[in-house]
Amino acid sequence: VTAEQITVLDDGFVCLVDVMGTDADIARAARVSYGPGTRSVSEDRALIRYLMAHDHTSPFEMVELKFHIRAPLIVRNQIVRTRTANWNERSYRYSEMDDISYVPEPERIGGQSKDNKQGTGEALDEAVQQRASVILAEVEAYTHDAYDTLVELGVSRETARQATTVSRYTEWYFKIDLHNLFRFLKNRLDAHAQFETREYARALESFVSRRFPVAHESWVEYVRDAVMLSATEVAALRAVLDAPYIDSERIMIRGYAEDRGISGRQLREFVEKLS
Ligand SMILES: Cc1cc2nc3c(=O)[nH]c(=O)nc-3n(C[C@H](O)[C@H](O)[C@H](O)COP(=O)(O)OP(=O)(O)OC[C@H]3O[C@@H](n4cnc5c(N)ncnc54)[C@H](O)[C@@H]3O)c2cc1C
């Protein structure tokens, strides 16, 4: 049992409550498929990288992490879509809501993005940012007062909570296996994900990198920092690589790969992909 905590946004946190397994357990689970063999740490690493590179995902489901998260409802409403997580949230029918809401720093308030309909785009004038921040803070102050007044009047907590915004903080336990946590991280670390949710994903990722360094390193290599090309993009790339003038470049690309430590099976696979 562990209790490591990272502060997120102004009043949020991600706390690692418990972990089941280590990198070695991922390798051990995989060896059920591949049969017993030698088990040195470097061989575990090679095996885990192989599993990640070839989408052999089930060994990553054999280890789990349990978190206690406090986040504004806007973030909670996005994270809750991860159906593969087990979830237990504080009930605001039983207990009163905490007196904390998230108000973004003025410099974080941007304009509506022109090319991403869901996202924030260019920076706004400082005066507009200040005004927006004041409006958001005033709404929070008003709704917190309204909630407290309703509770004081004797209105039930389940009805009083209607007087709150999606900036209010909530908290829950969140347990998920590593395979599905990687899926979540891939989506929510993306530059197009909402900034606030990205901050939570970054905190979750830092626990993964500490507790499962080899699995994390493999995921960074083959998933997080890798790129998937569409069939049309492959065709366009193929046209470039097939151009007569590029033949010598192709040999150079092989050299560049070797310079970066790609060798053996990985080099063969890379050359196969290129052709
Ligand atoms: C940038 C971004 C924008 C988004 N915008 C919206 C939006 O506008 N509106 C909206 O509603 N959602 C939106 N989402 C949520 C998104 O559509 C997914 O619901 C969410 O990311 C969960 O992904 P998931 O289903 O892969 O994860 P999980 O729920 O963890 O599921 C993982 C995988 O398990 C399988 N699975 C899980 N449950 C089932 C099931 N019941 N049946 C079959 N297979 C299952 C599927 O293969 C699934 O991909 C957005 C997500 C992102 C990252």
Side-chain angles (χ1 to χ4, degrees):
V1 178
T2 163
E4 300 167 51
Q5 187 164 315
I6 296 176
T7 301
V8 189
L9 303 180
D10 47 3
D11 272 310
F13 60 72
V14 171
C15 177
L16 181 67
V17 176
D18 211 348
V19 183
M20 186 179 86
T22 61
D23 281 324
D25 290 299
I26 299 169
R28 205 168 291 132
R31 287 200 175 92
V32 170
S33 341
Y34 300 127
T38 42
R39 283 140 208 247
S40 76
V41 171
S42 67
E43 280 163 352
D44 278 2
R45 180 170 178 270
L47 176 56
I48 288 171
R49 288 175 71 86
Y50 178 87
L51 298 170
M52 188 63 77
H54 295 88
D55 230 9
H56 185 160
T57 54
S58 45
F60 297 97
E61 294 171 16
M62 298 300 150
V63 296
E64 292 189 329
L65 299 99
K66 182 161 68 188
F67 298 100
H68 180 182
I69 299 176
R70 184 161 80 193
L73 286 160
I74 43 164
V75 171
R76 179 254 185 226
N77 290 349
Q78 295 185 342
I79 299 181
V80 77
R81 300 303 311 283
T82 303
R83 294 160 295 173
T84 43
N86 298 113
W87 190 284
N88 191 64
E89 187 167 359
R90 188 162 147 199
S91 166
Y92 298 105
R93 301 175 72 202
Y94 282 98
S95 63
E96 283 180 30
M97 303 190 90
D98 285 338
D99 202 16
I100 41 174
S101 282
Y102 166 66
V103 177
E105 295 294 326
E107 56 272 21
R108 282 244 44 92
I109 301 175
Q112 178 59 48
S113 167
K114 295 198 171 57
D115 50 6
N116 171 10
K117 288 187 179 157
Q118 287 192 328
T120 299
E122 284 167 22
L124 293 167
D125 288 346
E126 223 179 293
V128 177
Q129 289 176 321
Q130 290 292 348
R131 177 87 188 101
S133 181
V134 168
I135 291 173
L136 289 170
E138 281 174 356
V139 169
E140 287 317 304
Y142 179 79
T143 57
H144 281 236
D145 275 354
Y147 177 82
D148 292 345
T149 306
L150 288 166
V151 170
E152 277 162 31
L153 287 170
V155 174
S156 68
R157 288 183 288 269
E158 67 178 4
T159 298
R161 66 182 168 165
Q162 288 177 32
T164 194
T165 73
V166 285
S167 298
R168 194 98 166 199
Y169 275 94
T170 182
E171 56 187 277
W172 69 97
Y173 263 43
F174 180 79
K175 179 168 77 67
I176 189 163
D177 66 63
L178 189 56
H179 165 61
N180 282 297
L181 183 53
F182 278 146
R183 287 183 60 95
F184 167 84
L185 292 177
K186 173 78 177 157
N187 285 339
R188 301 297 181 179
L189 288 170
D190 189 275
H192 297 102
Q194 176 148 359
F195 163 77
E196 286 78 7
T197 304
R198 228 160 51 218
E199 290 294 284
Y200 281 86
R202 274 160 30 86
L204 291 165
E205 185 192 15
S206 82
F207 285 122
V208 171
S209 68
R210 279 186 231 167
R211 292 311 186 111
F212 298 95
V214 178
H216 177 258
E217 167 211 283
S218 317
W219 172 75
V220 168
E221 172 72 15
Y222 293 110
V223 183
R224 194 194 72 185
D225 294 354
V227 180
M228 191 175 79
L229 298 175
S230 70
T232 313
E233 287 165 342
V234 170
L237 192 59
R238 181 172 288 147
V240 172
L241 288 170
D242 282 349
Y245 61 86
I246 211 102
D247 256 12
S248 58
E249 292 287 320
R250 214 197 291 226
I251 294 163
M252 281 172 69
I253 289 171
R254 201 187 155 102
Y256 291 142
E258 282 170 328
D259 289 350
R260 281 157 185 78
I262 302 182
S263 64
R265 176 181 51 77
Q266 281 180 317
L267 185 61
R268 281 198 304 282
E269 287 179 354
F270 181 54
V271 171
E272 251 174 55
K273 282 184 208 170
L274 287 180
S275 53

